[in-house]
Amino acid sequence: MEFAASFSGGKDSILAIKKMIDRGNRLVALVVSTIESQDISWTHSLSKEYFEEVAEILKCEVIFTDSMINDYELCFENALRIAKNIGAQACIFGDIDIEQHLKWNKDRCDSVGLECIHPLMFIDRKSILEYLHATKFIARIKKVDNSKLAEAFIGRTLSPDTIKDLEKCNIDLCGENGEYHTVIELDSIEAEFSRSESILSEIYVDNASTCFPKAPGVSTEVMSVIDNQSYSINRGTYIKSYELQGKIIDVREKIKSFFNTPSDFECIFSPSATYSINQILMGLLEEGDILLTGDCNHNSSTRLFENLKSKGVKVVKKEKNEIERYLSENQEVIKGIFITQTNNITGENYFDQNEISKISEKCKIYNMYFILDIVQTVCEDLVDISRMGVDAVIFSPHIGLMSVEGVGVSLMSKSLSYHLKPVIFGGNGSNSDSDLMPNTVPDKFEVGTLNIPAILGIGKAIDYIDYVGIEKVIKKRHDLGNRLRTGLSKIENSVVLGHGSFCLLNVKGHDMSMLGFYLDSNYSIQTRVGIHCSHETHRCVGTFPHGGIRFSLGYFNTKREIDKIIEEINVLIQ
């Protein structure tokens, strides 16, 4: 279950979160009650910066209510609606047993359609405090009710000795009536969750293979489709099938809008980006045709090039600075250009958007097709298809968009889709009275049963990125990449390559495969070692045949994680 948490910064609310995470649930948002026009929380008087740091440690969003007393309920419910929109199915609270508090929480959740959960409900006070002391959380008293407790308690940690002193004051030991409020120290939050059996105990830096964790809302949507809408589209002649088909159409339009795609483009789903590349190039090129491409491609295309050459297609590979010249000199015979825009090892852009636009203009003049692999470009850089002017792009939603595996997407002009021949044949629910494939798009290319749960998950991933802001996603990834490359470059005998969120590491005199193994087994740092399915790139950058360790960073990585990676690599190579 994906859940939000009403979070005060105190012991009870963090313990409630821990209980939920320990049960295998995922926290997607902290809901924090803050005062309008001020940067502090209501009861605990903690800064927004504190909550933002907690959210980074817990890999979730933080939603501030920014309310006054007279509109507190309304603002809290609005915050819950935001949490629900990014995937939360429930909101949890740290309240224990004060009836009016429990009722207020449930009323707020009921009003927005969220389940209300109280993980600490009716647990006796001493058990809660014993639970706290069994963790690494350090709770420090931040505020006291002067009518019930002396100010001398402020600043003390909630240790067993402090508890004994509180018992003498004849108060609720957990401060449930407002006798005192605590704040959980940031380092202790990281220390506690780093030893849990959850994604918070891992440092995942293999996002160029597949993003992890996925965007909030994706798993909720996928599970909902499987549980409640697992119908056949294009084949089912019943209302719910038609409704599901409508949702698929909505996702197609959402994808096109996200990339500012021209209105005459088609959105076509396939089992993978590799499948989509095969469909386009094999459907376009015939014996005697010439395909112009770059010199740092992924195996998803290089292996296809070898197959094309066996069928009489000439594949010409050129370095970046030679593409335009070759294009100008051979425009009469080139059928198409295929470029991997962003390298999957170094993160370097083969061409930026302005360069792509210039080449696209020439392609239109010379009547040739320009196809772009943007698998690693999505959410690494802005993609504006209308501005680029290409004929098709291919991408994997499970990488940049933080959605699930099992779907590839191609966005292509109607002109290209019309001229492409299908390369996979079979049923798709339309023209069922004919042995021939239909000419309509996308039916012409979408053969068999689509991965409907994964496709609908793409829509939720885009919703989340739109909520966060794609510029923020890109900036955070690039900032983390710069931080990692800078830190690793200081290691003696290190060779560090990379751009944006990518970092390739080699350390002379050390086996990178063993280093990668120890990073995983000793520190749960999950990365990728080797050739990374692109021997062409390693040949270009001088790291063939051994490759290196690739760190590819995602939106949910943190500065703390980057610093830990640098620290542990320094330890391992001593």
Side-chain angles (χ1 to χ4, degrees):
M1 172 187 286
E2 294 182 300
F3 71 97
S6 176
F7 184 65
S8 66
K11 65 181 189 322
D12 298 332
S13 54
I14 197 69
L15 289 175
I17 290 172
K18 175 175 167 52
K19 278 188 172 291
M20 289 293 288
I21 290 176
D22 285 349
R23 293 168 184 164
N25 302 296
R26 180 186 178 188
L27 175 66
V28 297
L30 300 175
V31 176
V32 180
S33 298
T34 45
I35 304 172
E36 184 181 355
S37 302
Q38 298 186 43
D39 288 333
I40 59 172
S41 61
W42 272 100
T43 55
H44 292 224
S45 299
L46 299 174
S47 69
K48 285 186 174 180
E49 288 77 11
Y50 169 82
F51 295 105
E52 287 166 349
E53 290 211 47
V54 173
E56 181 166 84
I57 292 170
L58 298 180
K59 299 182 184 294
C60 68
E61 296 300 313
V62 58
I63 304 167
F64 298 112
T65 62
D66 289 339
S67 60
M68 299 300 290
I69 289 294
N70 62 334
D71 64 353
Y72 180 76
E73 287 189 2
L74 176 63
C75 291
F76 193 90
E77 289 180 5
N78 285 339
L80 291 182
R81 287 189 183 91
I82 294 172
K84 182 179 179 181
N85 287 339
I86 61 173
Q89 297 169 280
C91 185
I92 71 163
F93 301 82
D95 298 278
I96 304 171
D97 57 12
I98 296 178
E99 185 175 349
Q100 60 265 38
H101 292 176
L102 302 180
K103 184 179 184 306
W104 188 92
N105 298 339
K106 187 174 187 305
D107 288 346
R108 303 289 75 72
C109 288
D110 286 349
S111 69
V112 301
L114 286 176
E115 183 179 353
C116 180
I117 300 175
H118 297 96
L120 305 181
M121 189 166 64
F122 302 138
I123 301 177
D124 67 88
R125 305 302 193 265
K126 285 196 174 181
S127 294
I128 290 174
L129 293 172
E130 287 171 359
Y131 179 43
L132 174 68
H133 295 145
T135 71
K136 289 185 175 292
F137 294 133
I138 298 175
R140 192 174 299 278
I141 295 177
K142 178 72 167 57
K143 291 174 68 177
V144 298
D145 182 338
N146 293 329
S147 67
K148 298 177 181 178
L149 282 179
E151 288 193 1
F153 278 100
I154 295 177
R156 292 181 63 176
T157 60
L158 206 58
S159 64
D161 287 341
T162 300
I163 297 299
K164 289 179 183 178
D165 291 340
L166 289 173
E167 286 181 307
K168 299 173 185 176
C169 299
N170 194 30
I171 64 164
D172 185 304
L173 283 183
C174 284
E176 187 74 350
N177 299 296
E179 294 92 337
Y180 69 91
H181 298 291
T182 59
V183 58
I184 302 297
E185 294 186 359
L186 291 168
D187 288 343
S188 74
I189 297 175
E190 183 177 40
E192 174 57 31
F193 284 108
S194 67
R195 65 175 188 164
S196 67
E197 292 293 327
S198 73
I199 60 175
L200 302 177
S201 64
E202 307 167 353
I203 299 178
Y204 179 84
V205 282
D206 191 23
N207 289 279
S209 295
T210 190
C211 281
F212 184 78
K214 306 304 182 185
V218 171
S219 66
T220 296
E221 180 70 7
V222 170
M223 286 189 294
S224 176
V225 174
I226 293 171
D227 290 342
N228 304 306
Q229 302 172 282
S230 205
Y231 309 114
S232 178
I233 65 167
N234 294 343
R235 299 167 177 82
T237 53
Y238 38 89
I239 295 299
K240 288 192 174 181
S241 172
Y242 299 144
E243 290 174 346
L244 189 59
Q245 174 70 285
K247 291 183 178 182
I248 298 293
I249 293 171
D250 290 343
V251 172
R252 293 187 202 271
E253 293 304 313
K254 190 173 291 187
I255 291 170
K256 291 172 65 175
S257 176
F258 185 80
F259 293 108
N260 191 28
T261 309
S263 59
D264 65 336
F265 268 49
E266 304 282 3
C267 176
I268 299 165
F269 297 119
S270 75
S272 69
T274 301
Y275 184 109
S276 296
I277 293 170
N278 274 260
Q279 171 62 75
I280 292 176
L281 295 187
M282 292 185 70
L284 176 67
L285 300 168
E286 300 175 342
E287 183 178 358
D289 288 340
I290 295 178
L291 176 70
L292 176 61
T293 187
D295 61 341
C296 289
N297 291 295
H298 188 274
N299 281 348
S300 58
S301 51
T302 55
R303 290 177 176 175
L304 172 58
F305 297 157
E306 292 304 305
N307 180 270
L308 289 170
K309 285 191 282 187
S310 72
K311 299 180 183 301
V313 176
K314 183 178 180 181
V315 178
V316 178
K317 295 183 181 180
K318 292 293 179 180
E319 294 180 8
K320 174 178 179 178
N321 57 6
E322 298 178 333
I323 292 283
E324 285 197 66
R325 180 184 59 79
Y326 187 87
L327 179 64
S328 298
E329 294 175 354
N330 298 273
Q331 67 266 31
E332 294 181 359
V333 292
I334 296 174
K335 182 72 169 287
I337 302 175
F338 178 89
I339 296 294
T340 301
Q341 186 185 5
T342 303
N343 188 273
N344 77 305
I345 298 173
T346 66
E348 180 179 8
N349 275 351
Y350 208 77
F351 293 122
D352 63 25
Q353 291 209 24
N354 289 329
E355 291 170 322
I356 290 170
S357 297
K358 291 178 181 178
I359 294 174
S360 294
E361 290 174 4
K362 290 185 177 180
C363 287
K364 288 178 173 57
I365 295 171
Y366 303 150
N367 196 30
M368 61 184 70
Y369 293 107
F370 191 3
I371 299 123
L372 209 59
D373 171 350
I374 61 168
V375 167
Q376 300 296 343
T377 311
V378 177
C379 287
E380 176 71 14
D381 288 292
L382 293 174
V383 176
D384 186 329
I385 297 176
S386 290
R387 177 184 167 193
M388 292 190 297
V390 295
D391 296 287
V393 300
I394 302 110
F395 67 94
S396 299
H398 71 94
I399 297 181
L401 290 183
M402 300 182 281
S403 193
V404 296
E405 296 85 344
V407 180
V409 179
S410 55
L411 296 167
M412 69 175 75
S413 67
K414 288 187 177 180
S415 171
L416 176 60
S417 67
Y418 175 79
H419 285 97
L420 285 188
K421 297 177 181 177
V423 296
I424 301 293
F425 299 85
N428 52 20
S430 64
N431 288 39
S432 295
D433 59 346
S434 172
D435 291 337
L436 301 177
M437 291 299 296
N439 287 319
T440 55
V441 179
D443 300 30
K444 181 179 178 181
F445 307 115
E446 291 181 350
V447 180
T449 301
L450 293 177
N451 189 343
I452 294 172
I455 290 171
L456 293 184
I458 300 170
K460 288 299 180 181
I462 290 175
D463 288 345
Y464 176 72
I465 294 168
D466 284 342
Y467 166 74
V468 172
I470 189 168
E471 291 85 359
K472 180 180 175 181
V473 172
I474 293 170
K475 183 179 186 305
K476 181 179 180 184
R477 290 176 57 173
H478 287 197
D479 287 348
L480 293 174
N482 289 332
R483 189 183 189 95
L484 180 59
R485 289 190 296 272
T486 298
L488 294 180
S489 296
K490 296 175 182 177
I491 296 174
E492 187 175 359
N493 294 320
S494 67
V495 178
V496 178
L497 303 173
H499 303 263
S501 65
F502 289 76
C503 178
L504 181 68
L505 172 69
N506 276 282
V507 183
K508 294 178 182 177
H510 293 271
D511 185 329
M512 293 298 97
S513 295
M514 291 306 299
L515 181 57
F517 171 77
Y518 286 124
L519 285 173
D520 180 25
S521 60
N522 292 3
Y523 308 110
S524 294
I525 297 172
Q526 302 162 342
T527 183
R528 185 173 176 188
V529 181
I531 299 298
H532 315 98
C533 295
S534 183
H535 65 87
E536 285 192 347
T537 298
H538 282 287
R539 293 178 193 276
C540 288
V541 300
T543 50
F544 188 84
H546 301 295
I549 297 182
R550 182 191 67 188
F551 302 89
S552 47
L553 310 176
Y555 176 68
F556 293 106
N557 288 125
T558 70
K559 290 184 286 187
R560 290 170 178 259
E561 291 179 337
I562 298 304
D563 294 343
K564 184 173 177 61
I565 292 170
I566 296 167
E567 176 187 346
E568 303 307 351
I569 290 177
N570 272 290
V571 170
L572 288 171
I573 66 173
Q574 295 305 315

